[in-house]
Amino acid sequence: MSLTEYRPGTAFPGVVGRTFDVSEPAWPEPLRARGGAPNVLFIVLDDTGYGQLGCFGSPIKTPNLDSLAVNGLVYNNMHTTALCSPTRTCILTGRNHHSNNMACITEASTGYPGYNGYVPFENGFLAEMLLQHGYNTYALGKWHLTAAEQISAAGPYDRWPLGRGFERFYGFLGGETHQYYPELVYDNHQVEPPKTPEEGYTLNEDLADRAISFIADAKQVAPNKPFFMYYATGAQHAPHHVPKEWADQYAGQFDDGWDAYRQKVFARQKELGIAPEDAELSRHDPDVPEWNTLSDDERRLYARMMEVFAGFLTHTDHHIGRVLDFLREIGELDNTLVMAISDNGASSEGGPTGSVNENLFFNNVPESLEENLARIDELGSPTTFNHYAWGWTWAGDTPFRRWKRETYRGGISDPFIVSWPAGIKARGEVRTQYAHAVDMVPTVLDALGLEPPATIKGVTQSPIEGVSFAHTLEDGSAETKRHTQYFEMMGHRSIYQDGWRAVCPWPGTSFAEAGMPFGTPIPYEKLTELDARHWELYHVAEDFAENNNVAADNRDKLIEMIGQWYVEAGKYNVLPVDGRGVQRFAEERPVIARDRTSYTYYPGTQSVATNAAVRVLNRSHSITAIVDVPEGGAEGVLLSQGGIDSGYAFYMVGGKLKWCHNYVDKERHYVESTDVVPAGEHELRFEFEVTAPPDVPAGKGAGGRAQLYVDGELVGAAEVPVTTPLALGLTGGVMVGRATGAPVTPDYSPPAEFTGVLRKVVVDASGELIEDDEAALRMIMARQ
């Protein structure tokens, strides 16, 4: 008797008799994808500019991504939102970023529709859609789509990857992570990297390993079951971490500087058909010095920063290639629809001089050319947290002007590659049709022959706002179906309409020309003035790089497009226009647990994310650990926060009690007990008493007196002249009984587990807290 199946929710077609021998069984039909359904692979690079991939004219070697272009299509007119999380919501939902409530990153959310940072459940993710059609769904790498206050172990978990349709996740939840000591989450819990940097660990390799294993796990059981994989590298976001041999292959290749790089890349883009033959290179950016005006030492340092970035990108491409090679090996690559994109233009968060330690900038500590040169050979290593100078940012967005966070083309025009050998006959062609990241979801659904679901988990779905470009996959001459697209990022606005772009830059065409920094607020009166006088107009169908502002000669067209921007703004929850920086970051947001002065932490628990952790900077505080010390003494960390770039640790070494404050990797201040701590149960206590006020604008946190106590008896004291003013480590939350990330001090090596019995640690932070919201905003914005 053949097996009888029936669709769940329909009547049972079998027979139920009084006994088995007079009954006929039937089974609910398993959810199966249609025969031959392709796999879908989204590769999302971070902070990679239009002119940084080999197939987009760069001298940086990206052979694996280039192979996708050779066997598929390159789109030279793809656009994003100019920022990380907003773009990623577009990629995954097919709705605009304000419709996703992701106008900015979640750390800069505000209490308005379009801005609150909670992606609505009525805006389903592609993973949720494809689950309904029998797909496996995997997410790897960077997430950054959950409110910052909701990524601790207290949850809620409904906006973590597994809550939004992904069956498996391996990566990090925030905006950036240390590439050698990442803050990893596996599904819904934290895990440690499988090996150490000394053993050759890099996040790029780990993500590729895990991606391959996810695919293999399912394919060995159900080879006919397709998958959707969202593969979002932490690269090319800072820190630019890569083993030295990868950077060294570019030795000397950028010695002629960013001006020469632009010229070479632009010429190559014309050869490849990426840029039109009659295109003009955009102007020299006023915020970037001419390469030939720099000193020899500056040129040597900045060239090495670019060598490290290039090596990092080639390393990233290599491990992407391993995933592609595995798909080829198992016979799945040809029937995998691959879309590769960057989330925004190249990043300028390294500032005009770049950095060996990004955390200097976020703590207002000035960069030192001499100190950075002294560490030039460490760039890319686990001991740095490096970023290149923004001259390379500008060059990385060749041929366009400006960069990430701004809605000129340098911020919103991104490399985009599509490959699907079994589904697309065209090979190695350039597509010029206008497209936006919101168009990826409807294109996938169109290519797969699927309709968007009416409901997901019982929630009625909103309309898809993207427009399919599936018709262009075979027909290079087909007209684009997207005629209008608005842009807004922290008050910087623009709109595309049928070959024209209107741009209203904020705070101006450059920081130098505006005389104002990023994040300057826009009051009502200023917005009125901007709308009346400061919109620019470009005929991008003829002016590829937005060089010729024709607003004065096309006033009617400009007024029409400004009006259309407001139509789009009303449609997609873009208002209120908000150029704020400091105030936006400082706004109060709903939290699960209110701020308090006493925090109790327990061993064996997960690291506590910075947004949910105690804040001890610039205030008197104490740390008390209740321990049992075994015979022979104890070693290891009692409590730590931060890492090699900045942080503090309370620990035991050589049987003695010790505390260290890492001041942005420039100085380390210690206090140590005079004697070893004897065996037995003890109360170990550290106290910091503020004795000198902070000078936050000058990059100096409060000075104070550090004291150690064992069972109430003073056993050590030291004066600490300066502490970190604002940011305790760009990665690394509060850890108890261990310290697994890049170490605060060379006194211990990860994981530095406490070898005694640790019962609990209590941090009392009832001292006055002094903050600088403006500098704190810069830190948050860089973690995009």
Side-chain angles (χ1 to χ4, degrees):
M1 184 171 59
S2 62
L3 188 72
T4 301
E5 296 180 345
Y6 63 98
R7 297 186 64 183
T10 62
F12 176 71
V15 176
V16 179
R18 293 182 64 198
T19 59
F20 166 80
D21 56 317
V22 294
S23 303
E24 294 180 9
W27 295 87
E29 181 183 49
L31 180 61
R32 300 186 183 98
R34 64 173 174 78
N39 308 303
V40 179
L41 172 61
F42 282 1
I43 300 171
V44 182
L45 299 172
D46 205 327
D47 290 357
T48 302
Y50 192 88
Q52 290 182 325
L53 298 184
C55 55
F56 275 76
S58 173
I60 300 173
K61 301 180 185 70
T62 53
N64 295 291
L65 289 168
D66 294 352
S67 72
L68 294 175
V70 169
N71 291 304
L73 306 169
V74 166
Y75 281 74
N76 76 345
N77 212 1
M78 171 57 81
H79 298 80
T80 60
T81 70
L83 203 63
C84 158
S85 304
T87 293
R88 291 163 192 263
T89 67
C90 297
I91 289 171
L92 285 169
T93 71
R95 283 85 167 186
N96 284 298
H97 59 304
H98 292 88
S99 297
N100 289 322
N101 296 333
M102 200 68 75
C104 192
I105 55 174
T106 65
E107 294 90 340
S109 57
T110 59
Y112 299 99
Y115 287 76
N116 63 38
Y118 302 109
V119 181
F121 294 114
E122 58 265 28
N123 292 7
F125 281 32
L126 181 59
E128 296 173 300
M129 301 177 198
L130 295 183
L131 269 181
Q132 298 185 12
H133 294 280
Y135 275 70
N136 283 129
T137 56
Y138 314 125
L140 293 107
K142 175 173 172 175
W143 183 245
H144 208 200
L145 297 174
T146 304
E149 64 273 11
Q150 294 187 358
I151 62 172
S152 75
Y157 292 86
D158 53 357
R159 285 186 169 87
W160 288 37
L162 269 61
R164 296 311 308 253
F166 290 102
E167 296 172 310
R168 305 184 74 178
F169 171 68
Y170 186 82
F172 57 100
L173 295 176
E176 67 180 335
T177 197
H178 200 291
Q179 292 284 315
Y180 297 102
Y181 295 103
E183 299 170 292
L184 290 173
V185 170
Y186 195 154
D187 294 341
N188 279 352
H189 65 282
Q190 292 179 2
V191 295
E192 301 302 331
K195 57 185 180 181
T196 67
E198 293 75 20
E199 295 169 325
Y201 179 85
T202 65
L203 181 58
N204 269 335
E205 181 180 27
D206 194 9
L207 293 178
D209 288 347
R210 196 68 59 171
I212 291 168
S213 72
F214 281 4
I215 296 168
D217 283 346
K219 289 293 186 181
Q220 66 187 1
V221 176
N224 61 328
K225 186 172 185 178
F227 66 82
F228 166 52
M229 177 173 284
Y230 175 73
Y231 188 91
T233 67
Q236 291 300 112
H237 198 290
H240 300 156
H241 279 156
V242 69
K244 187 174 183 296
E245 61 270 20
W246 290 84
D248 285 350
Q249 66 180 287
Y250 289 99
Q253 294 190 28
F254 304 107
D255 288 355
D256 52 358
W258 39 66
D259 300 283
Y261 178 98
R262 295 184 83 228
Q263 295 290 342
K264 289 184 288 189
V265 169
F266 187 48
R268 180 62 177 152
Q269 288 174 337
K270 288 189 174 184
E271 291 175 11
L272 293 170
I274 299 296
E277 274 299 318
D278 60 354
E280 298 176 353
L281 189 61
S282 62
R283 66 173 184 163
H284 191 286
D285 195 284
D287 288 331
V288 176
E290 300 273 358
W291 185 258
N292 60 16
T293 67
L294 301 174
S295 70
D296 290 344
D297 282 343
E298 287 174 313
R299 289 198 292 265
R300 182 162 66 93
L301 177 64
Y302 298 161
R304 182 57 178 174
M305 288 177 171
M306 186 57 185
E307 290 168 12
V308 171
F309 176 87
F312 188 29
L313 181 52
T314 299
H315 185 260
T316 302
D317 177 84
H318 169 76
H319 289 289
I320 290 171
R322 291 178 52 228
V323 178
L324 300 177
D325 286 345
F326 177 73
L327 291 174
R328 185 179 295 110
E329 178 185 328
I330 65 173
E332 293 286 343
L333 185 59
D334 281 357
N335 198 31
T336 299
L337 172 55
V338 183
M339 293 185 175
I341 192 171
S342 174
D343 58 359
N344 45 244
S347 168
S348 64
E349 274 107 16
T353 65
S355 183
V356 171
N357 178 8
E358 263 195 302
N359 217 7
L360 293 169
F361 177 72
F362 304 124
N363 282 289
N364 292 331
V365 180
E367 295 282 345
S368 163
L369 177 62
E370 292 73 25
E371 291 178 359
N372 287 351
L373 276 170
R375 301 186 65 183
I376 191 170
D377 291 336
E378 294 180 59
L379 288 171
S381 76
T383 63
T384 60
F385 215 93
N386 51 299
H387 197 305
Y388 57 21
W390 68 22
W392 292 117
T393 309
W394 167 65
D397 290 325
T398 300
F400 306 121
R401 61 165 69 184
R402 303 303 283 174
W403 42 56
K404 171 183 177 180
R405 299 194 307 210
E406 300 182 20
T407 69
Y408 281 120
R409 291 203 70 184
I412 63 170
S413 293
D414 288 284
F416 184 63
I417 305 165
V418 179
S419 175
W420 182 21
I424 304 172
K425 295 178 183 177
R427 298 286 186 275
E429 297 180 6
V430 176
R431 294 288 184 263
T432 61
Q433 291 88 351
Y434 190 92
H436 187 278
V438 291
D439 301 331
M440 292 170 64
V441 165
T443 300
V444 168
L445 295 177
D446 197 357
L448 270 56
L450 303 176
E451 293 292 328
T455 63
I456 292 176
K457 298 178 184 176
V459 178
T460 300
Q461 294 295 287
S462 67
I464 297 287
E465 293 165 0
V467 177
S468 172
F469 55 83
H471 65 295
T472 70
L473 297 177
E474 290 294 1
D475 187 357
S477 63
E479 293 291 326
T480 181
K481 294 181 179 179
R482 173 163 292 286
H483 301 287
T484 302
Q485 179 62 44
Y486 82 93
F487 299 87
E488 188 279 335
M489 187 50 61
M490 301 194 80
H492 203 290
R493 296 175 289 158
S494 60
I495 185 168
Y496 169 86
Q497 191 165 43
D498 289 330
W500 295 81
R501 268 186 34 89
V503 184
C504 188
W506 181 255
T509 50
S510 68
F511 303 139
E513 291 165 324
M516 292 184 288
F518 165 78
T520 303
I522 306 175
Y524 184 84
E525 295 78 11
K526 184 64 179 179
L527 182 65
T528 302
E529 178 194 341
L530 289 171
D531 284 340
R533 302 180 183 177
H534 294 283
W535 280 85
E536 303 165 359
L537 184 65
Y538 301 95
H539 194 190
V540 289
E542 300 175 357
D543 179 16
F544 190 66
E546 295 181 329
N547 284 317
N548 304 303
N549 178 8
V550 295
D553 297 328
N554 296 273
R555 186 69 180 167
D556 290 347
K557 183 67 175 178
L558 179 64
I559 291 172
E560 172 194 336
M561 293 190 70
I562 296 171
Q564 189 63 44
W565 187 91
Y566 275 98
V567 169
E568 302 298 300
K571 190 186 303 184
Y572 299 118
N573 290 328
V574 183
L575 300 177
V577 175
D578 190 353
R580 295 179 303 161
V582 178
Q583 298 92 328
R584 186 186 286 204
F585 167 69
E587 284 200 354
E588 186 176 2
R589 297 174 183 83
V591 293
I592 297 172
R594 298 289 182 185
D595 195 17
R596 56 198 188 277
T597 58
S598 181
Y599 293 72
T600 301
Y601 296 111
Y602 300 98
T605 55
Q606 297 185 24
S607 170
V608 180
T610 298
N611 281 38
V614 61
R615 295 179 295 166
V616 300
L617 295 181
N618 301 322
R619 68 201 306 183
S620 297
H621 61 276
S622 66
I623 305 171
T624 303
I626 307 301
V627 304
D628 288 333
V629 176
E631 293 293 337
E635 306 277 329
V637 169
L638 301 167
L639 183 137
S640 74
Q641 183 177 5
I644 200 164
D645 55 323
S646 180
Y648 66 88
F650 185 40
Y651 57 104
M652 293 184 68
V653 60
K656 293 184 177 182
L657 187 62
K658 202 165 182 179
W659 173 87
C660 172
H661 185 93
N662 174 352
Y663 172 63
V664 294
D665 203 25
K666 290 173 72 73
E667 304 170 10
R668 284 173 173 79
H669 301 286
Y670 295 91
V671 60
E672 183 179 19
S673 65
T674 53
D675 299 310
V676 299
V677 179
E681 184 175 339
H682 298 287
E683 179 184 278
L684 309 180
R685 183 177 176 88
F686 164 78
E687 290 186 358
F688 183 82
E689 178 186 359
V690 173
T691 59
D695 185 355
V696 175
K700 296 180 178 180
R705 182 169 176 78
Q707 301 175 113
L708 295 175
Y709 296 84
V710 175
D711 301 326
E713 180 182 349
L714 181 66
V715 297
E719 296 300 323
V720 179
V722 65
T723 57
T724 304
L726 288 163
L728 273 176
L730 296 175
T731 62
V734 168
M735 286 181 279
V736 185
R738 73 193 200 289
T740 57
V744 168
T745 167
D747 275 355
Y748 60 79
S749 298
E753 293 183 359
F754 184 64
T755 59
V757 176
L758 176 59
R759 303 193 184 282
K760 66 178 179 180
V761 180
V762 178
V763 184
D764 183 278
S766 54
E768 182 180 0
L769 177 64
I770 304 167
E771 295 183 295
D772 181 329
D773 290 328
E774 181 171 356
L777 171 75
R778 293 200 299 270
M779 175 190 69
I780 291 296
M781 285 303 298
R783 302 188 71 181
Q784 301 163 40

